[in-house]
């Protein structure tokens, strides 16, 4: 009986294809944090890795079209935040993540929190242009909410002194960095509103890293700015720095100095008004473009899921898998052949005349050593006998007699043994152990 024509019975290939589409269509994009392990980068340029935590792991692939945008070199043990879509590698039936972006865990978490809060506040309408307050055309008093020792305050005061020295300024000092900065900023805005002594407020600080500016991405600060009865200009960081405070404020200035120019009067007040409207338009356009970008990304993702590139990525991954298996098979074959060669070499060495010659040479060396040892013993015995004979000879030697205190007296012709052997006036020589003495007989 054939089951192939029964639509209710799946083949393995059809099952994997259906599961892949189900995963990709239902799950969509996910954010995932984990530790990298089993990282590999074959010649194709794609990356393959495993993301794990203390209890589980998941296989991942990141194709070279995406991994070229990663600003660091991943290594085993790195903690990362990834944006990925869930998929299935059909040939093996393994479910996996196709990573689209990767960030180091610290920066990635902050960026993720930023995007989440941005979407939340935008959905509540806090960024809408209709909720923005217009700046007063001729402010009577300006409030500055920033650090009393920061460069931003001095930049603002310098610009105001140059453009409109008569404009009164009230400074509400606050912390602009650290864990307690958000509460301090919100309290300063609340204080300025309760005192109601300014026409416009400048809230900001100088440039810095994402962590340095993080207090201006705080939800409490954002809601405090949005509820302010006094128009607020956000002047945080440099022109390239963007914070949640910029979206919520009535006007965003590129720098603290630019904010001071917006509120100060001079001969170019009409240009300032135009610049204010331009900034409002820019803020509105940024918000609009941000929203459009979000929609475009959603549409792009839907279109990309049907793009041939995904099929090519699947085939490319399969090719890398086959290449890895081929290299493993070749390596196993090489290892097997190497073992066979080593066995043959071992058998040849067992029957090699070189080995027998080496054994006989070792025996010859042993015999030679025995001969040398016997000769050494013979010489040692001869030296011992010679020493004994020398000692016996020494005991009867005249020199030994001299050592005991005796002496030998002689004339030029003979040794003196009797007094009759010399006469008065003869020169005699007395030999002692350590030398000779010449004497004249009297």
């Amino acid at each position: 009986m054939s089951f192939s024509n029964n639509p209710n019975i799946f083949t393995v290939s059809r099952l994997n294809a259906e599961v892949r589409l189900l995963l990709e269509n239902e799950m969509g994009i996910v954010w995932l944090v984990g530790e990298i392990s089993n990282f590999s980068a074959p010649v194709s340029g794609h990356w393959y890795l495993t993301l794990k935590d203390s209890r589980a792991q998941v296989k991942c692939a990141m194709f070279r079209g995406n991994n070229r945008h990663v600003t660091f070199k991943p290594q085993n043990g790195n903690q990362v935040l990834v944006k990925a879509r869930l998929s299935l590698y059909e040939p093996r039936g393994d479910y996996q993540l196709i990573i689209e972006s990767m960030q180091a865990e610290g920066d990635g978490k902050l960026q993720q929190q930023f995007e989440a809060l941005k979407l939340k506040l935008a959905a509540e309408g806090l960024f809408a242009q209709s909720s923005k307050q217009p700046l007063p055309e001729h402010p009577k008093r300006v409030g500055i909410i920033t650090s009393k020792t920061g460069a931003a305050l001095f930049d603002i005061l310098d610009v105001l002194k140059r453009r409109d020295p008569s404009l009164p300024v009230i400074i509400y000092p606050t912390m602009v960095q650290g864990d307690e900065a958000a509460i301090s900023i919100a309290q300063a805005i609340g204080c300025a509103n309760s005192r109601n002594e300014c026409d416009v407020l400048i809230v900001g600080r100088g440039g810095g890293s994402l962590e340095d500016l993080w207090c201006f991405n705080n939800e409490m600060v954002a809601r405090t700015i949005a509820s302010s009865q006094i128009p607020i200009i956000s002047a945080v960081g440099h022109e390239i720095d963007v914070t949640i405070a910029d979206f919520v404020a009535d006007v965003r200035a590129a720098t603290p100095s630019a904010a001071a120019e917006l509120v100060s009067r001079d001969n170019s007040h009409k240009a300032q008004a135009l610049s204010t409207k331009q900034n409002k338009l820019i803020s509105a356009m940024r918000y609009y473009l941000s929203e459009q970008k979000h929609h475009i990304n959603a549409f792009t993702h839907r279109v990309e899921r049907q793009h041939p590139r995904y099929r090519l990525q699947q085939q490319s991954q399969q090719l890398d898998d086959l290449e890895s298996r081929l290299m493993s098979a070749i390596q196993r074959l090489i290892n097997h052949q190497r073992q066979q060669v080593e066995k043959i070499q071992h058998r040849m060495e067992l029957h090699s005349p070189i080995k027998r010659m080496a054994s006989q040479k070792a025996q010859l060396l042993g015999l030679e050593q025995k001969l040398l040892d016997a000769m050494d013993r013979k010489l040692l015995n001869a030296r011992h006998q010679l020493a004994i004979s020398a000692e016996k000879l020494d005991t009867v030697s005249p020199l030994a007699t001299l050592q005991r205190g005796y002496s030998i007296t002689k004339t030029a012709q003979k040794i003196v043994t009797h007094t009759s052997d010399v006469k008065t006036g003869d020169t005699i020589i007395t030999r002692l152990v350590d030398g000779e003495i010449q004497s004249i007989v009297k």
Side-chain angles (χ1 to χ4, degrees), residues 203 216-217 221-222 225 234 236 243-252:
V203 179
F216 293 95
N217 293 318
V221 172
I225 292 174
S234 174
V236 181
T243 65
I244 297 296
D246 295 334
F247 293 108
V248 179
D250 298 295
V251 174
R252 186 242 181 190

Side-chain angles (χ1 to χ4, degrees), residues 409-410 425-430 436-442:
T409 302
K410 63 179 180 178
D426 285 348
T427 298
I428 59 175
I429 298 172
T430 304
E436 294 178 341
I437 301 173
Q438 287 188 359
S439 307
I440 297 175
V441 178
K442 292 183 178 182

Side-chain angles (χ1 to χ4, degrees), residues 52-80:
K52 66 179 184 178
D53 57 21
S54 60
R55 297 173 58 188
Q57 62 182 20
V58 60
K59 292 182 178 179
C60 306
M62 190 173 192
F63 299 108
R64 62 182 178 182
N66 292 322
N67 64 34
R68 65 186 178 187
H69 301 297
V70 178
T71 58
F72 64 99
K73 179 64 175 176
Q75 295 181 350
N76 290 333
N78 287 158
Q79 287 285 339
V80 294

Side-chain angles (χ1 to χ4, degrees), residues 85-105:
R85 56 183 175 83
L86 200 59
S87 184
L88 184 103
Y89 182 47
E90 294 181 29
R92 284 202 303 263
D94 293 338
Y95 100 89
Q96 63 181 2
L97 290 176
I98 305 300
I99 299 175
E100 296 184 356
S101 67
M102 179 186 295
Q103 302 174 29
E105 183 184 17

